[in-house]
Amino acid sequence: MSLQALRRGWGPRFSAWRHVVGKRLPARASLLGSLVPASGWAPDFLTPGPDHASPTTGAFDAIRATPRRHLEAELRRLADRHRLPAWTQLLADGDREALDAVTDTLAAYYDVAVTPFVDRIRAVLDADRAWRVHTMAHLGVGSVLAGLHPQVRWEEPVLVLPGPPGECQVDFHLEGRGLLLSAHIFCGSRPRALLNEVGTPVLVYAPLWNLQSDSLVTALPDTRPRASKALATLLGRTRAAVLEALASSAGHSTKHLAQSLAISPASASEHVTALRDAGLVTSLRQANTVRHTTTALGDNLISSTNSTGGIQLP
């Protein structure tokens, strides 16, 4: 999916990432371009299942061990949709040298396109998971699924998914197997279903993006040099009240925050912006609503002031 994001762009938040990665692509990167179309389905052997989903859990070893019958079947399916170069026949025949070359190139690509950005990616995914867990606990699985995409619906016992562009929606019968939801930073707006015939189906979706994380390349704001200024501002009664109000796991929209504190929406927005700039608050968008909640730094500040009666800096 990151290869597809590299080729298609998918919005301004990936522009800096594409610029950096594009200059560092590994040798023979065209091997991967032959196997991964700019959009749509890519061979499943390139995406091992949940047990081998990352290099630390043996993803590349799993790819190297792909049986010939799987290589042949998946490359035949790919050839039905896209014209393939001649060398892919070696891969379809189970040639170990060809498979090693693809795997080595994929590993080198991963080191360029993913490894340098894992902390930023993890921050986005962690925030998304926290929001989905909260939604599940308070509104149920239907709301979780509906929040993934406007065309995703749970009509028990059928999961309705958006079809490819220009095609009808897809009805999938889970048949009691459950469903693994997997946020993926490079998914794009349309969820992708990995609906294997055995085991647990996987629905890959785009996570909610922290409004501070528009780029994977720009470093996260360093809150330490700005903390003293932010903390001085927090001595004001209203801004301190805003921070405390946002400490709930559910957070607040700007409108609800203004109502709960009896201040104007403009004032609430101004205080949230200052707190977010200081790294004390984070903002997540879901559909047409933006919810604000405290970061770990904000929680620590509240805990410190409540327990000691004063502000303690690390």
Side-chain angles (χ1 to χ4, degrees):
M1 282 186 274
S2 70
L3 274 165
Q4 293 181 334
L6 184 66
R7 296 171 71 176
R8 299 183 64 193
W10 288 356
R13 63 166 51 106
F14 289 120
S15 59
W17 171 83
R18 292 177 70 228
H19 178 72
V20 170
V21 174
K23 295 190 299 183
R24 303 176 184 175
L25 285 174
R28 298 198 292 183
S30 59
L31 291 178
L32 305 179
S34 299
L35 299 174
V36 180
S39 62
W41 181 84
D44 290 338
F45 78 89
L46 294 174
T47 55
D51 293 338
H52 305 288
S54 71
T56 57
T57 55
F60 298 127
D61 291 337
I63 294 173
R64 291 184 200 278
T66 305
R68 175 180 175 178
R69 65 182 184 278
H70 290 169
L71 293 170
E72 184 178 17
E74 292 179 11
L75 288 171
R76 186 186 307 117
R77 177 181 174 184
L78 186 63
D80 290 339
R81 306 179 180 198
H82 306 278
R83 189 171 185 175
L84 300 181
W87 71 266
T88 59
Q89 185 58 51
L90 289 174
L91 192 61
D93 291 340
D95 184 271
R96 290 296 104 182
E97 188 172 326
L99 185 56
D100 283 344
V102 169
T103 309
D104 291 344
T105 305
L106 188 61
Y109 171 80
Y110 186 93
D111 287 341
V112 167
V114 179
T115 299
F117 313 104
V118 291
D119 290 340
R120 198 63 179 275
I121 291 172
R122 186 175 294 112
V124 173
L125 299 182
D126 286 348
D128 176 84
R129 181 165 51 249
W131 174 250
R132 306 296 176 187
V133 168
H134 169 79
T135 303
M136 173 74 81
H138 290 80
L139 301 176
V141 66
S143 293
V144 173
L145 293 172
L148 303 182
H149 188 275
Q151 293 178 312
V152 172
R153 300 194 310 279
W154 173 235
E155 299 177 354
E156 190 173 357
V158 179
L159 179 64
V160 180
L161 306 174
E167 298 184 19
C168 298
Q169 66 184 24
V170 177
D171 293 348
F172 181 69
H173 296 258
L174 294 177
E175 299 174 346
R177 289 185 290 164
L179 181 69
L180 177 63
L181 299 181
S182 178
H184 197 297
I185 205 79
F186 297 110
C187 179
S189 61
R190 189 180 301 272
R192 304 184 183 201
L194 308 179
L195 306 175
N196 49 338
E197 296 181 358
V198 296
T200 302
V202 179
L203 186 64
V204 181
Y205 68 93
L208 298 170
W209 277 75
N210 187 320
L211 297 184
Q212 293 172 276
S213 303
D214 286 339
S215 169
L216 294 179
V217 175
T218 304
L220 285 170
D222 184 353
T223 59
R224 288 173 297 179
R226 302 172 66 179
S228 59
K229 178 180 179 181
L231 293 176
T233 304
L234 287 171
L235 294 177
R237 180 183 302 175
T238 302
R239 192 156 294 174
V242 168
L243 182 64
E244 291 182 347
L246 297 180
S248 68
S249 59
H252 290 289
S253 66
T254 303
K255 179 179 179 181
H256 187 269
L257 178 66
Q259 292 174 340
S260 65
L261 296 178
I263 59 178
S264 70
S267 177
S269 178
E270 178 184 351
H271 289 302
V272 168
T273 298
L275 293 170
R276 187 170 60 234
D277 288 345
L280 301 173
V281 165
T282 186
S283 301
L284 296 174
R285 179 178 296 279
Q286 185 182 36
N288 296 323
T289 302
V290 176
R291 286 187 173 273
H292 317 288
T293 188
T294 49
T295 63
L297 181 63
D299 289 338
N300 289 339
L301 176 62
I302 293 172
S303 176
S304 176
T305 55
N306 286 343
S307 60
T308 65
I311 296 174
Q312 293 184 338
L313 295 175

